[in-house]
Amino acid sequence: MGTENKMQVTDRRYDVILLDVDGTLLDFKLSEKLGMEHVMRTFGVEPTKERLELYHEINEGFWSAFERGEVTKERLVWERFNVFFARLGITVDGHATENLYRRQLDDSAFLIDGALDLCQYLKERYDLYVVTNGTSSTQYKRLAASGLDCFMKDIFVSEDAGSQKPQKEYFEYCFKRIPGVCPERMLLVGDSLSSDIKGGQAAGTATCWYNPSGLINRTGVRPDLEICALGELKRIL
């Protein structure tokens, strides 16, 4: 369905909504927790809160390095497990461990409260696109399992793009695939200041920070909009 067939909205500022996935539409933290609990138990490790937090810290460090272009996606997905288990005094095969974790992650798709309703609402008014960092096969499977894929005009995954948010190359990849592209008529919605908001601003789109925890923004990245619940967008757009 093209933009010209959308519901008529007066004084509309945007034609296209770019939606992040993890932490915005899908509860990745829950998926990660359940996946890592399975992985740890496979190696005879009790998945305590402290160990789960350690993995999360290591994983976030790798993803931050990935966003800065300091580590490749191929290296990230297996080395994080080598580093994590080494901290526990265990040697593992990072590639095999990644495959084990990936199988668990592929089967998990937990909707964030309000995500389905929001996408149903937005689809009648805007063209929707997914913009996500991650592994292509996993993101496609999770979006299909959640039922969100049917609302999207297209899905742009960093692995397919060969670059990631917030890098300009990622957005160039996306924009080449959006008919009649006009960044000034786009709104990017995401939960990450460093990835979504910074990337959208550099690409020339308006941005909306989804901040359900009410975090204080101590960065120099200033979104155009900020919401703490997805339903708030229905009152704004």
Side-chain angles (χ1 to χ4, degrees):
M1 185 185 298
T3 304
E4 66 276 9
N5 294 322
K6 296 295 180 183
M7 181 182 297
Q8 294 298 312
V9 180
T10 59
D11 299 324
R12 187 172 67 176
R13 295 178 59 190
Y14 313 112
D15 298 316
V16 170
I17 308 297
L18 306 175
L19 294 163
D20 173 53
V21 174
D22 292 319
T24 303
L25 298 179
L26 295 181
D27 189 341
F28 182 76
K29 289 183 179 179
L30 179 56
S31 296
E32 178 186 68
K33 177 178 181 292
L34 296 177
M36 280 306 299
E37 286 179 345
H38 177 77
V39 169
M40 281 190 266
R41 289 195 175 103
T42 299
F43 289 100
V45 175
E46 181 63 26
T48 63
K49 178 182 178 180
E50 291 73 22
R51 287 167 179 162
L52 288 167
E53 288 177 349
L54 174 62
Y55 169 76
H56 182 72
E57 177 185 326
I58 291 170
N59 186 51
E60 285 294 299
F62 271 103
W63 277 104
S64 294
F66 175 62
E67 290 175 4
R68 296 191 299 268
E70 297 172 359
V71 63
T72 65
K73 176 71 182 307
E74 292 74 15
R75 176 185 168 194
L76 180 161
V77 297
W78 61 264
E79 189 169 351
R80 57 185 172 177
F81 293 109
N82 285 348
V83 173
F84 169 69
F85 280 103
R87 293 280 294 273
L88 302 182
I90 300 172
T91 300
V92 301
D93 181 329
H95 294 281
T97 308
E98 160 63 17
N99 290 335
L100 174 64
Y101 174 71
R102 187 64 49 188
R103 288 194 295 271
Q104 296 297 310
L105 201 62
D106 286 353
D107 294 332
S108 66
F110 304 103
L111 285 163
I112 286 178
D113 187 36
L116 188 63
D117 183 57
L118 176 65
C119 288
Q120 290 173 331
Y121 173 86
L122 292 177
K123 181 178 169 60
E124 297 301 318
R125 295 159 173 80
Y126 306 92
D127 287 335
L128 306 184
Y129 294 86
V130 159
V131 287
T132 178
N133 288 346
T135 300
S136 300
S137 61
T138 295
Q139 297 301 64
Y140 278 106
K141 288 176 182 176
R142 295 172 69 233
L143 285 165
S146 69
L148 293 176
D149 61 337
C150 65
F151 298 107
M152 307 302 166
K153 295 277 291 184
D154 209 340
I155 296 168
F156 304 125
V157 187
S158 61
E159 184 176 57
D160 296 329
S163 54
Q164 60 280 336
K165 298 178 292 183
Q167 295 178 352
K168 66 176 183 178
E169 292 82 4
Y170 172 79
F171 288 95
E172 289 172 353
Y173 169 89
C174 299
F175 291 168
K176 287 179 181 178
R177 290 157 179 79
I178 297 177
V181 61
C182 181
E184 295 80 7
R185 299 285 297 174
M186 296 180 180
L187 175 69
L188 193 157
V189 183
D191 68 304
S192 170
L193 289 169
S194 63
S195 174
D196 301 311
I197 308 307
K198 182 178 179 179
Q201 289 179 344
T205 76
T207 58
C208 176
W209 183 31
Y210 173 53
N211 181 21
S213 299
L215 301 176
I216 298 175
N217 182 0
R218 302 186 186 282
T219 74
V221 181
R222 302 298 173 190
D224 299 286
L225 301 170
E226 180 178 337
I227 58 174
C228 63
L230 292 178
E232 292 179 42
L233 267 182
K234 294 171 63 176
R235 297 192 293 271
I236 297 172
L237 299 177

